[in-house]
Amino acid sequence: MKPLTQYGRMAEKHWREFRPKMVDDLEKTGILHQMLLEAEEQTVSELDQIRRELILKGLTPQQAHDQAWEMVRERYIFLPPED
């Protein structure tokens, strides 16, 4: 089983706290780890793409990274809480 990166671990911590029903369902079906891997892969991919675009627009690499992170993090890692 492929180990999680910092993004996958971040997602798991957040999901367990704010999406416990979802985590329970994913664990019951045996796909939690797979979904965490997908979340981190999507995060890395989009983060890199947006960062590159922002650098081309004149931002420094750090500014581009920070802004890209703000844009991407809630799509896959910091999901909204369950009702």
Side-chain angles (χ1 to χ4, degrees):
M1 189 179 309
K2 181 179 176 185
L4 298 173
T5 67
Q6 66 179 2
Y7 295 130
R9 292 188 305 270
M10 202 181 295
E12 183 174 15
K13 182 176 188 266
H14 180 83
W15 295 3
R16 286 189 183 280
E17 183 174 349
F18 295 100
R19 305 291 300 256
K21 293 175 194 163
M22 181 186 82
V23 168
D24 188 49
D25 289 344
L26 294 173
E27 285 181 322
K28 284 179 182 172
T29 56
I31 61 169
L32 176 62
H33 191 80
Q34 176 186 338
M35 296 305 292
L36 291 166
L37 288 173
E38 287 181 24
E40 70 183 20
E41 288 168 8
Q42 287 293 108
T43 298
V44 168
S45 176
E46 286 189 33
L47 188 64
D48 184 58
Q49 178 185 353
I50 294 169
R51 184 184 62 79
R52 289 173 189 266
E53 291 170 4
L54 293 172
I55 288 171
L56 289 175
K57 291 182 179 181
L59 274 66
T60 67
Q62 186 62 54
Q63 290 171 328
H65 174 80
D66 293 347
Q67 197 168 4
W69 172 242
E70 290 287 328
M71 296 167 74
V72 172
R73 67 185 184 183
E74 293 181 3
R75 292 182 193 167
Y76 307 105
I77 296 178
F78 299 128
L79 302 178
E82 293 172 337
D83 294 330

